[in-house]
Structure formats: structure tokens, C-alpha cells
């Protein structure tokens, strides 16, 4: 399952993404976790050494290598110059699976307590004033477009804060989106903004309440987000200790908060995967990108790279029904 964690800055989305990933891994699920936020904090939340993680390779600096690997022998993509962040796979493309070894995963991902972790990377001096962060997360979008995952596998992406995720089509790359929401008007405002943008794209959104002190906080969230609220986390001594650098076993999280993670996992799995929708939306956003700027840059019609009947994941679905 491809899962996004979003929310207002400071809502706790990175903390929730890390707890979800660690809980799923502790239960034996294959897990990948990707930090796609401009503020790179997921590594530390997962228990990695933040200084070591900051010195490691990042996806945003290896986009040409990622493109070259993924295009494989696809005759419609003769060079990486003709590959956008929206480029969908086709015959000859290299598809990825969560558990495999390949040059991209081996070079750019770090293994930690059963979790494969990678970061997009933050801004560097050469980016300031001339680069958009969404160009960096293009590496993540490409990986998601080529990744064939099962319902018992979890690919967790910590997204940029607020509604910035809608600056690209990456918001459609997920089977389920979890919006972490504090009991404040600003936080529920981000939810309503996200919901408004997503309503035309059949995006599955669930709300996880966070930093809940009492029933009034729960009632406030229910009033503003309704049935989208699947659970809430109270203020946590475990989380406070983790934020101070003491990351204990995830099983030590307060039982009520642990139950929220399990409910979120069950909600995601129950929704299943829709490969036809995933592929259709990949094609839609690739056409948009090609018309908006890609064709002018490439000098050819990049929409010709789309193979309508190449549905990502179909071979996996067939294997599951044999």
C-alpha cells in the first residue's frame, strides 16, 4: 500500500508517519519510508542518527540515475532527457517491488529496523532562489509510478506541509492519505483545503487527530471533519522522549495511541488497491505536464509515451488470483 501522511506544519505528521512505519515493520510487514518534506526530520523520528542520515545520498541529487534505471529498454523513452517526473512505465520499463534488491535501492536507501528509508534531500546553496522543491520530489513521484506493491506492504511518504502537495500530481499516487489534524481552526482548515482539491480525483482521505487533551478536543474535530476521523492520539510521554532523542521500541507507545496506528493500517488495507485508477491518473497528469511545459522542452509530444493498456500491477493481480 502506498500511503501519504500530510497535515499542517507542526501537526505531528512526521511523528505519525514514523510511528506507523515502525509499528508495521515490528509486525513483520515489509516497509519503505520516504521523507518528501522540505524539512527533513523523518530519519530522526525513525531512530536513525540524524547526522549520519544528513550525510547520506538523497533521491533529489540522483534523479538522472533514477530515470536511467527506470526507463530500462522502453523504446518510447530513448533518453533520460525525454523523461519527466510524471513519465509512466511502459513495455521495457524497469518496475520495482518493495522487497527487491536493485541499484537504486542499494545506493539510495538505508535499512533500519526492518524499514527501507530514503530522503528527498533539502535545499542546498545552489538551489536558493532558482529551484522549486517540487522539482526535487520528482524522484519520489517516478519511483511511485514504477513501484508494484501489495496490500501487506507499506510505502510511507512524509509529504510537504499544508496543501503544497497539490503542486504536482503526486497526491494521486497513494492508495490512502492520512491527514494528521490538531484540534485547531488552522489545522482543520488544511483538511478542508486538501479535501476540496482532492474531491475530483477520488483520493481516499482519513483524519488522525493529534495532541488531544480531552473530549472537547475530540468533539471539535468531529464537528469539523465528521466521519473522516478514524481515531486520535493523546499527548504522549513516549513521543516526548523520542523527540528528545530517546526512541524506544514502538510497542512501548501508550496502548490507546498504538490502537490508532493499528486502526489506520486496517483502514488502508480495507480500501485495497485500484491499479486501473492509479494508471489512469498517471496518464492524465503526464498529459498535463507534457502540454504545460514538457513538450516545449523536449521538442516532441511526450504524451506519445503513454501506452493505454499498460496497467501497472496487473501481473501482480493475476498472480494473486491463480
Amino acid at each position: 500500500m502506498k500511503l501519504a501522511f500530510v497535515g499542517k506544519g507542526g501537526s505531528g505528521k512526521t511523528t505519525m508517519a514514523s510511528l506507523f512505519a515502525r509499528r508495521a515493520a515490528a509486525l513483520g510487514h515489509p516497509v519503505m519510508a520516504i521523507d518528501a518534506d522540505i524539512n527533513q526530520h523523518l530519519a530522526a523520528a525513525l531512530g536513525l542518527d540524524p547526522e549520519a542520515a544528513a550525510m547520506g545520498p538523497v533521491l533529489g541529487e540522483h534523479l538522472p540515475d533514477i530515470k536511467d534505471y527506470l526507463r530500462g529498454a522502453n523504446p518510447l523513452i530513448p533518453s533520460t532527457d525525454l523523461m519527466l517526473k510524471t513519465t509512466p512505465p511502459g513495455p521495457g520499463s524497469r518496475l520495482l517491488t518493495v522487497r527487491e534488491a536493485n541499484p537504486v535501492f542499494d545506493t539510495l536507501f538505508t535499512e533500519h529496523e526492518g524499514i527501507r528509508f530514503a530522503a528527498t534531500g533539502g535545499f542546498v546553496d545552489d538551489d536558493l532562489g532558482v529551484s522549486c522543491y517540487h522539482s526535487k520530489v520528482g524522484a519520489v513521484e517516478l519511483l511511485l509510478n514504477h513501484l508494484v506493491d501489495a496490500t501487506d506492504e507499506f510505502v510511507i511518504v512524509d509529504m510537504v506541509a499544508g496543501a503544497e502537495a497539490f503542486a504536482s500530481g503526486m497526491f494521486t499516487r497513494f492508495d490512502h492519505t492520512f491527514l494528521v489534524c490538531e484540534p485547531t481552526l488552522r489545522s482543520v482548515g488544511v483538511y478542508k483545503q486538501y479535501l476540496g482539491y482532492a474531491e475530483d480525483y477520488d483520493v481516499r482521505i482519513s483524519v488522525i487527530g493529534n495532541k488531544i487533551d480531552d473530549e472537547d478536543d475530540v468533539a471539535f474535530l468531529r464537528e469539523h471533519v465528521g466521519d473522516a476521523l478514524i481515531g486520535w492520539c493523546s499527548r504522549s510521554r513516549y513521543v516526548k522522549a523520542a523527540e528528545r532523542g530517546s526512541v524506544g521500541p514502538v510497542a512501548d507507545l501508550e496502548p490507546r495511541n498504538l490502537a490508532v496506528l493499528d486502526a489506520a493500517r486496517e483502514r488502508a488495507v480495507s480500501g485495497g488497491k485500484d491499479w486501473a485508477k492509479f494508471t489512469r491518473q498517471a496518464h492524465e497528469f503526464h498529459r498535463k505536464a507534457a502540454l504545460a511545459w514538457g513538450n516545449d522542452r523536449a521538442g516532441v509530444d511526450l504524451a506519445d509515451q503513454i501506452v493505454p493498456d499498460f496497467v501497472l500491477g496487473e501481473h501482480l493481480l493475476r498472480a494473486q488470483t491463480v
Side-chain angles (χ1 to χ4, degrees):
M1 305 296 290
K2 298 180 178 75
L3 309 177
F5 280 78
V6 302
K8 181 183 74 65
S11 64
K13 68 178 180 60
T14 298
T15 297
M16 206 65 66
S18 68
L19 291 173
F20 186 105
R22 295 177 61 223
R23 175 63 169 172
L27 293 175
H29 296 280
V31 176
M32 299 180 75
I34 301 176
D35 193 342
D37 193 354
I38 191 171
N39 298 307
Q40 305 273 284
H41 299 309
L42 184 59
L46 290 170
L48 283 84
D49 183 321
E51 293 186 4
M55 296 297 292
V58 293
L59 299 175
E61 294 179 3
H62 292 267
L63 183 55
D65 298 329
I66 293 170
K67 287 182 176 182
D68 194 48
Y69 181 77
L70 294 178
R71 72 185 180 91
N74 187 335
L76 301 176
I77 313 173
S79 74
T80 57
D81 293 337
L82 299 179
M83 208 169 178
L84 309 181
K85 63 182 180 179
T86 56
T87 299
S93 296
R94 287 192 175 100
L95 303 183
L96 309 171
T97 61
V98 174
R99 309 179 199 213
E100 73 178 21
N102 61 57
V104 172
F105 291 169
D106 294 346
T107 302
L108 302 178
F109 282 72
T110 299
E111 297 275 349
H112 179 73
E113 295 185 354
I115 299 171
R116 273 182 164 171
F117 168 78
T120 301
F123 276 123
V124 296
D125 288 344
D126 290 344
D127 296 323
L128 299 179
V130 297
S131 180
C132 170
Y133 188 68
H134 299 288
S135 65
K136 290 181 173 290
V137 299
V140 182
E141 190 167 348
L142 272 172
L143 290 175
L144 294 176
N145 268 346
H146 291 73
L147 183 63
V148 182
D149 53 298
T151 54
D152 64 341
E153 301 169 332
F154 296 99
V155 182
I156 297 153
V157 180
D158 182 18
M159 298 282 279
V160 293
E164 287 295 311
F166 288 92
S168 75
M170 196 164 78
F171 74 95
T172 66
R173 302 298 78 206
F174 302 103
D175 301 300
H176 210 99
T177 295
F178 292 103
L179 191 142
V180 181
C181 192
E182 300 167 273
T184 66
L185 287 174
R186 286 183 60 196
S187 199
V188 298
V190 169
Y191 163 73
K192 292 175 181 178
Q193 190 177 21
Y194 212 107
L195 191 66
Y197 288 147
E199 63 183 354
D200 292 333
Y201 295 96
D202 191 23
V203 174
R204 299 168 182 164
I205 301 176
S206 295
V207 173
I208 299 175
N210 195 30
K211 303 179 184 178
I212 302 300
D213 290 318
D214 51 37
E215 283 299 321
D216 288 343
D217 288 345
V218 177
F220 178 88
L221 287 179
R222 281 178 171 152
E223 176 186 354
H224 287 278
V225 309
D227 293 339
L229 183 66
I230 62 167
W232 54 91
C233 290
S234 58
R235 295 189 186 271
S236 167
R237 290 184 177 274
Y238 175 93
V239 170
K240 183 182 290 186
E243 291 176 344
R244 292 173 175 172
S246 179
V247 181
V250 70
D252 291 346
L253 184 67
E254 297 84 2
R256 285 187 299 178
N257 293 338
L258 206 58
V260 175
L261 301 177
D262 293 340
R265 190 179 66 257
E266 291 167 7
R267 174 64 63 91
V269 171
S270 67
K273 299 187 67 67
D274 187 339
W275 288 112
K277 181 182 77 171
F278 184 89
T279 301
R280 182 177 66 252
Q281 291 180 336
H283 293 172
E284 176 183 350
F285 277 92
H286 186 58
R287 288 191 188 94
K288 287 183 177 181
L291 287 172
W293 58 272
N295 291 347
D296 289 341
R297 179 180 296 182
V300 297
D301 186 358
L302 297 177
D304 289 341
Q305 296 170 341
I306 296 171
V307 181
D309 59 354
F310 189 90
V311 179
L312 187 68
E314 273 197 344
H315 67 282
L316 175 67
L317 295 178
R318 287 196 296 268
Q320 290 175 333
T321 58
V322 172

